[in-house]
Amino acid sequence: MRFTPIREILLGKHENEKVAIRGWVYRKREGKETIFILVRDSTGVIQCTVKAGSSAWAEAERLTIESSLTLEGTVKQDKRAVGGYELSVDAISVVGLAELFPISKDKSEEFLRDVRHLWLRSRRMNLIMRVRGKVQKFTDEFFESQDFVEVSPPMFITSACEGGSTLFGLKYFDQNMYLTQSAQLYLEILIYSLEKVYCVAPSFRAEKSRTIRHLTEYWHIEAEQAFADMEDLMRLEEGLLTHICQRASEQCKEEFAELKADISKLALVKPPFPKITYTEGIEKLKAKGLNVMWGEDLGYEHEKALAEEFGKPFFIYDYPKQIKAFYCKTHRDRPDIAMSTDILVPRIGEISTGGAREDDKEILVARIKEMGLKIEDYDWYLDLRRYGTIPHVGFGMGLERLLTWMLDLENIIDAIPFPRTTRRFYP
Ligand code: ATP
Ligand code: MG
């Protein structure tokens, strides 16, 4: 038997035709004359009606929420039904009768997170996961169009990239190892062969703070480019974000509408993005009355305040060296300033950090020592500067941060199917 996707029916392609659908019972309401069953499949939700006296009545009566089933019937236009069409049912066949489903209307956010494995069946999570999948596809499309090679970095690593405080350590047979915080150093290795590389891979951060924008495991879109400078980097990041937003505004209209997410902000994303220096940012914050000193890292409140002013993604660049990682390249004529840039967006703040990487071996060695790191941990990294060093740049963008902004999500937790935070790691 051919089963028709529900979305096809809702698009009006099968009016007055006999069709078969399959899926799960989403909601059910019983009247004396009619039983209304909302049935969902991966593509949509449709109202199905069973009339008293029909041979399907007995099956309809025993259906419970989330039972799996197949139905046959005739498609009717009905303005009152959600979606504008309904199925007038002739036959029902139960595939798996569900026990009493724990999720009902009045459940709290906390409870829904406890039963994440079931909540993922909701229309809301279905739509978010669809957009997530598409954004990953748009990312691949963009990098392919720019001749980047997709590569696969390791998850077990021996030394820190973003500093020790957020490292997860683990036993690797008899040795101590860590879970990766970023693929950057490995992408740097690969550009000496492939020149332009990217990956979308998990990064792990032992973030103790509970915020709306931190996970302990997230997916990181990272790219690295050889023979490139800060202008190339900003153009690359702008290009990626613009491509994703443009494609989403064409291809995710239905999802945004059903999620009641504001799609119009995506159209504001086009190059060139506004750009301010860190120093200008500090001045702006001071003018707004915020308490912040040059040399301090920007916190969430600072980022939010700046982002409000622009109302769309923008760059902040040229940070003080002391708040940046050891690998950040500094301006040759201003050794206190790192060639590093973040993209900030409204409500969320930082969604990406990128920059030029130090390509001078002696300066790099000095930086590693200055930061109190062990030179021997970075021996292979220094080899990259020993043998044919090149100017190069790269960035990392959090996929879930991006989605949280795009879809107006209240918390980053909903941007990933199985969130890991300090408190949540089940199922
Ligand atoms: P923050 O200061 O917001 O904690 P960061 O500067 O430590 O972030 P980076 O090391 O610059 O983060 O990582 C690059 C990108 O990865 C960030 O811009 C962000 O989009 C994403 N990211 C970093 N940490 C997390 C996290 N804990 N959960 C989700 N995404 C993250
Ligand atoms: Mg950062």
Side-chain angles (χ1 to χ4, degrees), residues 30-35 50-53 57:
E30 265 177 74
K32 276 214 180 72
E33 300 294 313
T34 314
I35 298 176
V50 183
K51 292 281 176 219
W57 184 264

Side-chain angles (χ1 to χ4, degrees), residues 99-198:
E99 296 177 22
L100 183 62
F101 196 60
I103 299 178
S104 54
K105 250 191 183 156
D106 50 344
K107 295 296 189 215
S108 69
E109 283 289 319
E110 280 298 296
F111 178 77
L112 297 179
R113 286 171 188 168
D114 291 341
V115 292
R116 183 64 160 208
H117 54 295
L118 301 175
W119 179 238
L120 281 166
R121 303 177 180 200
S122 66
R123 190 67 190 143
R124 177 177 163 76
M125 291 310 294
N126 171 299
L127 293 164
I128 296 173
M129 292 308 131
R130 265 175 199 285
V131 174
R132 181 184 166 108
K134 286 186 189 176
V135 167
Q136 286 192 276
K137 194 183 77 175
F138 304 150
T139 302
D140 289 334
E141 273 172 11
F142 173 77
F143 280 116
E144 197 184 343
S145 76
Q146 303 296 308
D147 297 321
F148 277 65
V149 179
E150 183 171 12
V151 297
S152 310
M155 302 293 109
F156 287 132
I157 54 148
T158 50
S159 56
C161 179
E162 292 305 321
S165 66
T166 61
L167 267 184
F168 279 112
L170 56 92
K171 267 270 167 290
Y172 188 80
F173 305 111
D174 299 334
Q175 267 182 259
N176 293 321
M177 282 187 86
Y178 306 98
L179 289 174
T180 186
Q181 298 167 303
S182 158
Q184 180 197 319
L185 306 188
Y186 295 90
L187 299 190
E188 284 189 66
I189 297 178
L190 288 162
I191 58 168
Y192 286 81
S193 165
L194 298 164
E195 294 190 29
K196 301 203 266 185
V197 298
Y198 83 100

